[in-house]
Amino acid sequence: MTEPVVPMVKAEGVRKSFGAHRVLRGIDLEVAPGEVTCLIGRSGSGKTTFLRCINHLEKISGGRLSVDGELVGYRQRGDKVYELHDRDIARKRAEIGMVFQRFNLFPHMTALQNVVEAPVRVKKEPRASVVERAAALLERVGLGGRASFYPSQLSGGQQQRVAIARALAMQPKLLLFDEPTSALDPELVGEVLDVMRGLAADGMTMVVVTHEMGFAREVGDNLVFMDGGVIVESGAPREVLSNPTDERLRTFLSKVL
């Protein structure tokens, strides 16, 4: 018998509240290794909060959330669940790359230095080998000739590609994207999506919050529509986009397609 595949992400009844405000109201979702899951929905539906819960930037208020078979931010012993120490959380978080709307690059560092920083500081890797890997990653995202440029010398699309290279430098098992093209001018969106297409083709597991329906249709394995902190509809992207069954999804798509 073949071993069952362990989901890269598994959410079971995940809830999150900020005070009295309930943002996530019971999320059940599985993302298989090598799969691209796209999250869509209007602003305030809980997409970004769920993404931030996956790498424990936000603590969940209830339910269970695991990455590659291990609880996120917690350890279970018997029937009891204990929160991990900060250093253990940081070590696990290093296995999950995140690319934000805003590029969050260090302005006083070159593109190469931005990519090198985390593996050297967080994972204590030797600088020489990291520099070599970082240069190859910048080449991979089409910025081999921009390694010595500072963020202020790069376009928004180029900065976001540096941010993707920086996330990849940590050699993550999972990449999270929080609307990675929303801060870009329209003509720069394509260059970032092309890099993401390449990552998907290489088998990188990705969870992507996006409004780019063409990307979701073409690259996504699963499309998840969230509204009011719950998953309203999910399935194969082409099917969900072509034949939405929920009125809320039909209304949403009428505004974005």
Side-chain angles (χ1 to χ4, degrees):
M1 286 178 58
T2 56
E3 289 289 320
V5 175
V6 175
M8 185 58 72
V9 178
K10 185 173 183 177
E12 303 169 90
V14 169
R15 303 185 302 281
K16 175 63 182 176
S17 298
F18 295 97
H21 181 45
R22 296 169 63 200
V23 179
L24 300 178
R25 298 167 177 261
I27 300 293
D28 293 295
L29 179 68
E30 288 192 12
V31 180
E35 190 173 80
V36 178
T37 292
C38 294
L39 306 181
I40 64 171
R42 59 189 178 85
S43 180
S45 59
K47 309 182 303 295
T48 293
T49 297
F50 178 58
L51 209 65
R52 290 172 65 85
C53 288
I54 293 175
N55 69 351
H56 207 62
L57 285 174
E58 300 287 354
K59 296 180 186 179
I60 64 175
S61 305
R64 291 170 65 91
L65 185 55
S66 58
V67 170
D68 200 18
E70 295 188 8
L71 290 177
V72 174
Y74 300 90
R75 178 182 290 115
Q76 183 160 356
R77 289 191 189 134
D79 295 334
K80 293 191 175 181
V81 174
Y82 302 88
E83 187 167 13
L84 296 175
H85 293 298
D86 287 347
R87 73 172 177 277
D88 294 322
I89 290 172
R91 183 172 54 81
K92 299 304 295 181
R93 189 180 288 139
E95 301 175 349
I96 305 171
M98 187 153 182
V99 179
F100 300 87
Q101 292 181 38
R102 299 288 171 182
F103 326 120
N104 294 348
L105 300 178
F106 294 115
H108 62 290
M109 292 184 178
T110 64
L112 184 69
Q113 290 168 336
N114 265 283
V115 177
V116 166
E117 181 73 1
V120 171
R121 277 190 182 271
V122 177
K123 296 177 77 174
K124 310 300 183 189
E125 292 187 53
R127 181 172 289 272
S129 62
V130 176
V131 167
E132 191 175 323
R133 185 164 81 239
L137 286 170
L138 287 173
E139 195 73 47
R140 179 179 180 179
V141 300
L143 293 173
R146 298 286 192 275
S148 62
F149 284 46
Y150 290 89
S152 62
Q153 298 171 302
L154 300 172
S155 71
Q158 289 170 335
Q159 290 185 63
Q160 192 61 295
R161 284 186 281 154
V162 172
I164 293 172
R166 178 181 60 184
L168 291 171
M170 294 292 282
Q171 299 176 305
K173 59 177 68 173
L174 169 66
L175 266 184
L176 310 176
F177 290 86
D178 185 14
E179 296 191 28
T181 60
S182 65
L184 301 179
D185 292 332
E187 69 271 17
L188 302 177
V189 168
E191 63 191 45
V192 173
L193 294 181
D194 283 346
V195 171
M196 294 171 66
R197 286 187 187 94
L199 292 173
D202 290 343
M204 174 60 74
T205 311
M206 301 193 287
V207 181
V208 185
V209 173
T210 186
H211 290 298
E212 300 292 337
M213 298 301 155
F215 174 84
R217 180 187 287 110
E218 174 194 348
V219 180
D221 297 293
N222 190 27
L223 185 65
V224 175
F225 171 64
M226 291 179 62
D227 189 69
V230 298
I231 293 175
V232 174
E233 194 163 335
S234 66
R238 291 176 189 274
E239 178 64 25
V240 172
L241 293 173
S242 301
N243 302 297
T245 60
D246 189 272
E247 183 58 39
R248 286 172 289 179
L249 176 55
R250 285 197 289 270
T251 300
F252 173 77
L253 291 176
S254 71
K255 296 174 181 175
V256 298
L257 290 179

